[in-house]
Amino acid sequence: MINIQDMRDTARGLLTKKEVRAVIGYRRSTNGMLAEPVVITDPAQADELIWDPTCFHNLSLYLVEDRKFLTHVRKTADAPIAIVAKGCDARSIVVLMQEHYFERKDVYIIGMSCEGSGVLDERKLAAKGIRATDAAFDGDDFVFATAQGEQRIAAREVMADRCLECREPFPKEHNAVLGENKTGRELNAPFTALHRFEELDAGARWKFWEHQFERCIRCFACRSVCPMCYCEECVVDSISFPVTGQTSAEEKANRVRWIERSATRPENMTYHMTRVLHLAGRCIDCNECERVCPVNIPLRLLNNKMEREAREEFGYEPGASIGGPSLTASFLDTDPGKFIR
Amino acid sequence: MTKKRTGVFVCHCGNNIAATVDVTKVKDAMANEEGVVFSQDYVYMCSDPGQNSVIDAIKDNNLDNVVISCCSPNLHEKTFRDNAKMAGLNSFTCEIANIREQCAWVHKDKDEATAKAIKISRSAVRRAGRDQALEPIAVPVTRKALVIGGGIAGIQAALDIANAGVEVILVEKLATIGGHMLQLSETFPTLDCSQCILSPKMVEVSRHPKIKLMTYSEVQEVSGSVGNFKVKILKKPTYVDPELCKICDDCASVCPVVVPNEHDLGLTARRAIHIPFAQAIPASYTLDESACLGLNPVRCGKCKDACDVGAINYDMQPQTITEEVGAIVVATGFDLYAQEHMNEMGGGKVEDVLDGLQFERLCSASGATKGHVLRPSDRTVPKEVVFIQCVGSRDPAQHCAYCSKICCMYTAKHARLYKHHVPDGRAYVFYIDIRSGGKGYEEFVQRAMEDDGTIYLRGRVSKLYRKNGKVRVLGTDTLTGQNVEIDADMVVLALAMEPSKGTGEIAKTLKIGRDKDGFLAESHPKLKPVESVTAGIFLAGCAQAPKDIPETVAQAGAAASKVIGLLSQPTLSHAPTVARVRNSHCSGCEMCVTACPYNAIHLEHGKAVVNEVLCEGCGSCSATCLRAAIEVKNATALQIHEMIEACLA
């Protein structure tokens, strides 16, 4: 069981000694029980930090934002930035370092073990008809403050699917870590949700996705929230084509428009397929894309599919090690090459 | 920008294309394409009149680029790009639409094949419309060659190259050059002594001023490309200074360790410190580290004490030597298929069942029995010997599918040698077919049957086992339909040849392909038999396929002449269709660096940089890059986009 005060002390210590220039963490939002991301630079702010079942955001996104900002203002960082990271978040930081987006010395990881539980799935809580104003971890339970008083619910009843299926709730890559290492805990078998979906036949699955992509409004929230979608120019998006001094007139005139701007089904499908392929071997299943989707498209199914292929065909786990090879850039002589036969 | 004027030329390839694709329809469809101002078909576009028509059409119609719808670019891309150049165009504005291998040859339905041929041609037209004029990259050439493998193939290749005045590095894994040929007693079809014809060549190698001989060495790493390879060679320590060694044998006589002698295929023993055989080149002893009692710390040290001249140095370290060469010949040879795989032949566990090379060592004057044919179990003269052909060869179900080519001949030779050693003995040969194509070969087999009275039985052996001090061989004579049982004193198996151990690793190191049986793949089975699929790397000897000595020597000479031809050019021209980085898009993630099979990309100030000389334009980087920040010239994202569009339209 994590004592929140320990996390606050760690953050305060780092800021006081100026070992880091900021701490990215969570604080209580003004909107009810939910946590929201916060960047603190003053040791006095450390007491604002919280740790509860609503800390679902993958904060590594803000490391990317920080790096983008520094590049934009042409500055280099004078000290690392600290970040509160769950097991999954730490893996996404590893992927970013694997891709040299920043270096290990640029980040101070305050690892938070999810121990035996994980984060809340708001939809599951709403389905139970519970309206809470506060949430807290308590062993295997979540404790909610409601108008009717305190309500205790077994965590696994309202936990996010990804947490139920998580194999590594402990942040392996860290500078400091809080909580016990309960790696290997099995709540649900990996890819349970995917397996359930794949019980449908191909025709039914196609229909399902046709329906889902019909609904996509191309708001790009999934892309904006994804720490792996850090490209300056997204290949699906010709609007943000960056024009620099070296861009030739020919290039400007001939930029490729792989996807049209209109949010029609085939275009939406191409967008999501491209995204899922670009995330293969990089997505660490933080599921922020699905969480932020305003029309509730189950994007996790797509990302999970790629993750399972990579694991089963190539024994590849994204975010396993900083120096490890990336999935799509490396070739094994033992490649089964099944798709070709 | 004015519209480009494109010409399309559709080839019938005799009936190769025309039988399945309506060529006239393709031509007409292309004439209607946007930008196409000229479209023509012809029965053989690559013939002289065909080529001239391309040149004339370019000039007459003022074409900017051309598309030839014909066979694979592997065959005639160069031909037609040369035509384009002759007509005054940049040769890289000529594109090939492959409507033969990728269309006519793989389809049956003419309507569908025609529709596909139109799509392929149309996509090539769209690609050509955006082709940039490119100039070939001139690359300087390192006038030095590397030969890997010191058997007869490597020796011959090294000598031929060196005699043309080009420096050669000859790398051999073992302590001496000579290879398997050195283990043979006599050679077919003339029965001349193998060692007698090979030793002079070995000496010539060791004395040749242009040859740097590196024995007990292995190629570890190869980078670069044709004309400029960088090679890392590991020289293993022999612990004996060859300059000082007097080959007096004092060291070996005090060495307490006895291990099987590989040179005699285990029929004799050697010490840990040994010389493979008396005429070894270089003439020096080698201390086999794996057999020695211990060097660090020194456990025994007797050999060092025994050496009067102080040639033995226990502190010798492995050395890595870096060399730059312009071309490489791979001659890594063969190994026999292991007896252990052949359960019906006793699986290597039945005494007095030998393989062909062991029998050679029995016949050889320098061999285990000093040239007397004695069977290993009791050292008596075998009176009945059974020779079995095709052991492991021509058996796709269980062993090797291919014919090992030389076994028919060497079995006949073995039978004859045996009869010459033991005139009152009886020799049986089990065969499936006798394949004796070659100058003087058929006559040689006939003499084995007629002059030497070898009994040839057409059939396979089903089983053999030890009984009453003999080897009982059960087989069938399919010509008489009778089962045959022979109590043989000795059995000799003509085991299949397979690529030598380590061929897989060297192929990987050199990035050259292998065929389904593991032999090194030639670039074209008929027209490029000594070229590997990688430019500047050539093949010689049994590493490429089973072959006999004359063929090996001929192939080694051919590989040498290719090397000499290549290295006689002052510069090489490298295709300019290489990768290009769009700096504004590059995030420096290094994925292209990992993906590049040619080590042609590195990072500078956080951005990818392509070494154009090393880049082969394979496109791996472009496929890996998530940001479309790297693409191959004349195969840009825009071109590929348009090609896809043309196919889907």
Side-chain angles (χ1 to χ4, degrees), chain B residues 310-638:
Chain B
I312 298 172
N313 172 11
Y314 294 144
D315 299 327
M316 219 180 252
Q317 293 297 321
Q319 272 179 290
T320 308
I321 293 150
T322 307
E323 291 278 359
E324 282 178 24
V325 298
I328 300 174
V329 177
V330 195
T332 46
F334 73 97
D335 275 326
L336 285 186
Y337 193 61
Q339 269 197 58
E340 285 70 43
H341 299 317
M342 305 300 308
N343 281 330
E344 61 272 40
M345 301 294 171
K349 295 191 190 88
V350 181
E351 261 192 308
D352 296 327
V353 177
L354 307 182
D355 65 37
L357 279 176
Q358 287 176 318
F359 187 74
E360 297 280 353
R361 296 313 298 152
L362 281 190
C363 294
S364 169
S366 64
T369 49
K370 306 280 173 250
H372 302 290
V373 177
L374 301 174
R375 65 178 199 162
S377 64
D378 52 9
R379 296 180 84 81
T380 57
V381 177
K383 293 294 182 191
E384 304 233 344
V385 178
V386 171
F387 296 91
I388 307 173
Q389 293 191 177
C390 294
V391 181
S393 300
R394 304 178 68 191
D395 188 350
Q398 292 186 58
H399 304 291
C400 310
Y402 53 88
C403 165
S404 293
K405 198 170 182 180
I406 62 166
C407 328
C408 288
M409 289 310 298
Y410 80 63
T411 301
K413 178 190 78 180
H414 285 170
R416 293 194 69 189
L417 289 177
Y418 168 67
K419 292 289 281 187
H420 296 175
H421 279 99
V422 188
D424 62 337
R426 214 183 307 196
Y428 301 89
V429 175
F430 279 95
Y431 70 100
I432 307 179
D433 298 293
I434 295 175
R435 296 179 169 175
S436 53
K439 196 170 171 177
Y441 286 11
E442 175 59 18
E443 297 91 317
F444 183 83
V445 175
Q446 286 304 324
R447 275 205 292 279
M449 295 180 190
E450 289 163 16
D451 299 359
D452 297 320
T454 309
I455 300 161
Y456 269 75
L457 298 165
R458 187 179 185 282
R460 288 205 131 157
V461 169
S462 58
K463 199 177 178 184
L464 50 80
Y465 53 93
R466 194 88 189 165
K467 192 162 191 194
N468 300 334
K470 295 198 176 225
V471 183
R472 175 157 291 180
V473 180
L474 305 182
T476 327
D477 179 358
T478 54
L479 295 182
T480 61
Q482 282 176 333
N483 286 338
V484 184
E485 265 188 48
I486 302 169
D487 280 335
D489 295 311
M490 192 162 83
V491 175
V492 180
L493 307 177
L495 284 158
M497 290 166 100
E498 60 178 10
S500 66
K501 279 170 209 71
T503 302
E505 277 82 79
I506 200 82
K508 233 180 274 170
T509 311
L510 294 167
K511 300 188 183 78
I512 54 176
R514 294 205 291 162
D515 62 24
K516 65 179 182 9
D517 301 312
F519 291 101
L520 300 177
E522 62 278 7
S523 186
H524 188 281
K526 277 146 271 183
L527 301 178
K528 290 184 172 178
V530 300
E531 285 95 332
S532 79
V533 285
T534 303
I537 302 182
F538 303 93
L539 313 173
C542 291
Q544 182 252 338
K547 53 178 69 72
D548 59 19
I549 297 168
E551 245 187 289
T552 296
V553 171
Q555 198 188 17
S561 83
K562 295 280 175 191
V563 170
I564 297 160
L566 178 73
L567 300 187
S568 61
Q569 302 171 64
T571 57
L572 293 176
S573 104
H574 184 70
T577 43
V578 294
R580 186 184 71 113
V581 180
R582 294 185 353 190
N583 267 342
S584 56
H585 291 46
C586 179
S587 77
C589 73
E590 265 186 24
M591 272 161 85
C592 55
V593 178
T594 326
C596 179
Y598 304 99
N599 298 328
I601 311 177
H602 64 278
L603 285 201
E604 262 175 39
H605 309 299
K607 303 276 180 190
V609 176
V610 177
N611 179 337
E612 297 197 336
V613 171
L614 297 182
C615 176
E616 292 285 329
C618 71
S620 298
C621 51
S622 176
T624 309
C625 184
L626 301 173
R627 301 165 189 96
I630 189 162
E631 56 185 15
V632 176
K633 289 179 187 170
N634 282 0
T636 59
L638 184 65

Side-chain angles (χ1 to χ4, degrees), chain A residues 99-100 230 233 251 328 333, chain B residues 508 582 585 589-590 627:
Chain A
E99 293 174 5
H100 305 274
Y230 58 74
E233 176 208 2
E251 248 179 336
T328 50
D333 293 318
Chain B
K508 233 180 274 170
R582 294 185 353 190
H585 291 46
C589 73
E590 265 186 24
R627 301 165 189 96

